[in-house]
Amino acid sequence: MTQSNLAPRDEVRGAAPGTVPAQLGPLDSAGKPRYSLSPLLGTLPLANLALYLVWMGVGSFLIPMQVTAIKGHPDPDALKNAVAVGAALAAIGNPIFGQISDRTRSRFGRRVPWIVICSLLGAGALMWQANAKSIGTLAITWGCVQFILNGFQAALTAVMPDRVPPAKYGIFSGLVGLGIPLGIVVSAYTIGGIDLHKLGIDKVVGGFDGKFQGENGYYLIAGILVACVLVFCLVTPDKPSVDMPVERFDFGKFLSNFWLNPRKHPDFAWAFLSRFGVVAGYFVVLTYNMYILMEYVKIKPQDTPAIMGFLMVINAIATVIASIVVGRLVDRFGVIKPFVLGSGILAGLSLFIPMIWASVNGMTAFNVVNGFAFGMYMAVDMALITKVLPRGEDAGKDMGLINIANAAPQIAAPFIASSIVETWGYHALFPIAAVISLVGSVLVVFVKTVR
């Protein structure tokens, strides 16, 4: 972003200097919330559940299964090629749709139109992907899904800075973070099933005899996505944005807005790099989670989905517990950075468990500790990011930029993981991922305006 485009946080393009249009921000001129927060406590996690059901259900279960079916065996290199294109398009889609939603003026608000449009198009792309019969087609269709649904994600992540007062950032950050574990639980139950043998119960719950381990899984996720979005938009609609001022569109400025000068906004830059590191460490392992169980832990392919479902649910439960507890602690004590740093250290330590304990028990212990660490991070991630946004009226674009720190590691992770596996084997994934996560969490120390 160039100097000519910069304005203080409390100024808006088209408004008199020092004034804030009534339509902008979560508080009115009297300092009271403009939006009812109670319904949002339910609908925001629901909408994030729909999004992460796609990322986790498709990314962790359906794509590895589809790659294995197409190639006839687990193929890390083919999996890398199938997911990398999608991650690249995700990195592009998030800031593009974020900036477009910032400029949207309608009686339905700035975000809701794009949440609805992208969810419908994304559902259609998922149904297209369900019928992919080659790695090339799978890469293209997953790329379309990622690009479109990152438009959904860019608009959805801007809801928090749009509607939530700063005093409630901790609890809402924790609720947003619930989308990941809830997405994990639903996808594990419906697609893989959950093996309860480790709990002393000789039973696999869910799974539905593999009914959703293919095309039906895509159709189910597409339907849930649309249903959750409709609930979100009907129960917690946005406020009209037709009276909000907006600059005349200038393509040069539109492109320049994708650059945020780190010298002028160092805290935003450090928060970006910190998220990049933490997410990269996470995805280096997550990308090959199913193959780790088959090739490293030596679980039979037919048993892998249910065992993976159990492990993912264990991870999700630990994430939920940490997210709720830490979210409340953030609001109570007003500190964020210690939890980011602590989560990175704990995540790094957890990654050494499967390296020295290559068994289902070891993976169970890993998922408990790693899930708790990730829950700590998700409880404060959105609060940290929201506090370092340069300008409120650009929340969609800026959240889109920061979300590149989610997408870009997914581009790099398959190539990093594939190279590690080919050179040193699966056991080397864990210490390398630990170092990456730890470095990412340490970078938050350089954020100066957040405690």
Side-chain angles (χ1 to χ4, degrees):
M1 183 179 290
T2 61
Q3 179 63 43
S4 61
N5 267 348
L6 288 172
R9 180 69 184 262
D10 63 345
E11 292 183 12
V12 181
R13 292 178 298 240
T19 65
V20 180
Q23 297 89 348
L24 182 64
L27 303 176
D28 62 19
S29 57
K32 297 180 179 180
R34 293 179 52 241
Y35 292 88
S36 177
L37 297 182
S38 296
L40 202 62
L41 290 169
T43 60
L44 193 56
L46 184 66
N48 276 279
L49 161 64
L51 180 66
Y52 283 100
L53 182 57
V54 177
W55 299 154
M56 296 299 171
V58 176
S60 295
F61 279 100
L62 294 179
I63 289 181
M65 290 176 178
Q66 212 166 356
V67 169
T68 302
I70 291 170
K71 301 295 290 186
H73 60 89
D75 190 332
D77 195 55
L79 179 60
K80 171 194 69 178
N81 294 330
V83 301
V85 172
L89 289 175
I92 298 170
N94 224 298
I96 288 177
F97 280 105
Q99 189 169 179
I100 291 173
S101 74
D102 284 336
R103 298 182 59 86
T104 297
R105 302 293 179 261
S106 77
R107 64 189 185 93
F108 300 107
R110 293 189 292 174
R111 316 302 179 191
V112 163
W114 295 105
I115 290 175
V116 172
I117 291 170
C118 290
S119 67
L120 293 175
L121 292 176
L126 282 169
M127 289 187 282
W128 179 26
Q129 184 174 338
N131 297 285
K133 303 300 181 185
S134 69
I135 298 300
T137 303
L138 183 58
I140 293 170
T141 54
W142 184 230
C144 291
V145 170
Q146 290 259 53
F147 181 77
I148 294 167
L149 289 186
N150 267 271
F152 171 28
Q153 184 168 13
L156 186 64
T157 52
V159 167
M160 185 169 149
D162 280 356
R163 305 191 193 186
V164 178
K168 299 293 183 181
Y169 278 176
I171 184 64
F172 272 91
S173 183
L175 288 171
V176 169
L178 288 178
I180 294 178
L182 291 175
I184 288 172
V185 170
V186 174
S187 59
Y189 178 79
T190 56
I191 300 173
I194 304 169
D195 190 335
L196 300 180
H197 284 80
K198 285 295 175 183
L199 300 179
I201 303 173
D202 188 17
K203 187 178 182 181
V204 174
V205 298
F208 305 98
D209 296 322
K211 181 179 180 179
F212 298 109
Q213 293 182 11
E215 294 179 14
N216 290 337
Y218 282 104
Y219 300 149
L220 176 67
I221 291 174
I224 293 175
L225 172 66
V226 173
C228 290
V229 164
L230 290 177
V231 171
F232 175 82
C233 295
L234 292 175
V235 176
T236 48
D238 203 354
K239 293 187 180 296
S241 59
V242 289
D243 294 329
M244 289 182 64
V246 63
E247 285 183 342
R248 177 189 296 179
F249 180 77
D250 182 293
F251 187 68
K253 286 185 177 180
F254 181 83
L255 292 179
S256 68
N257 276 344
F258 291 115
W259 167 250
L260 205 75
N261 193 325
R263 290 181 178 272
K264 295 185 174 68
H265 303 285
D267 283 352
F268 186 88
W270 285 120
F272 179 97
L273 292 173
S274 177
R275 177 189 270 199
F276 186 100
V278 172
V279 174
Y282 183 71
F283 272 98
V284 164
V285 173
L286 183 66
T287 300
Y288 285 169
N289 204 14
M290 182 171 285
Y291 290 177
I292 286 170
L293 293 177
M294 287 191 284
E295 302 287 296
Y296 178 66
V297 184
K298 305 299 184 183
I299 296 173
K300 295 179 181 178
Q302 64 269 26
D303 297 332
T304 298
I307 293 176
M308 182 173 165
F310 169 77
L311 295 174
M312 291 180 72
V313 169
I314 292 295
N315 186 288
I317 292 171
T319 299
V320 170
I321 293 172
S323 183
I324 292 174
V325 171
V326 172
R328 292 183 177 276
L329 290 176
V330 169
D331 285 338
R332 181 175 180 180
F333 296 108
V335 294
I336 292 176
K337 289 196 292 187
F339 293 106
V340 176
L341 187 58
S343 70
I345 294 171
L346 192 60
L349 292 175
S350 74
L351 286 160
F352 286 96
I353 296 174
M355 185 179 69
I356 60 177
W357 194 5
S359 67
V360 174
N361 288 334
M363 292 300 292
T364 301
F366 160 71
N367 276 279
V368 171
V369 180
N370 185 262
F372 194 88
F374 193 64
M376 286 179 62
Y377 182 76
M378 292 308 299
V380 296
D381 174 55
M382 281 295 294
L384 171 67
I385 296 304
T386 304
K387 285 179 177 290
V388 299
L389 292 181
R391 297 199 303 169
E393 71 274 20
D394 285 338
K397 182 266 294 181
D398 292 336
M399 292 301 285
L401 286 175
I402 205 75
N403 281 334
I404 293 176
N406 278 341
Q410 296 179 55
I411 302 172
F415 293 93
I416 295 172
S418 178
S419 298
I420 294 170
V421 170
E422 290 175 4
T423 306
W424 298 294
Y426 280 96
H427 68 279
L429 283 175
F430 306 108
I432 293 174
V435 171
I436 295 172
S437 293
L438 184 59
V439 170
S441 65
V442 168
L443 292 178
V444 77
V445 173
F446 296 100
V447 177
K448 300 301 183 184
T449 57
V450 178
R451 294 171 56 201

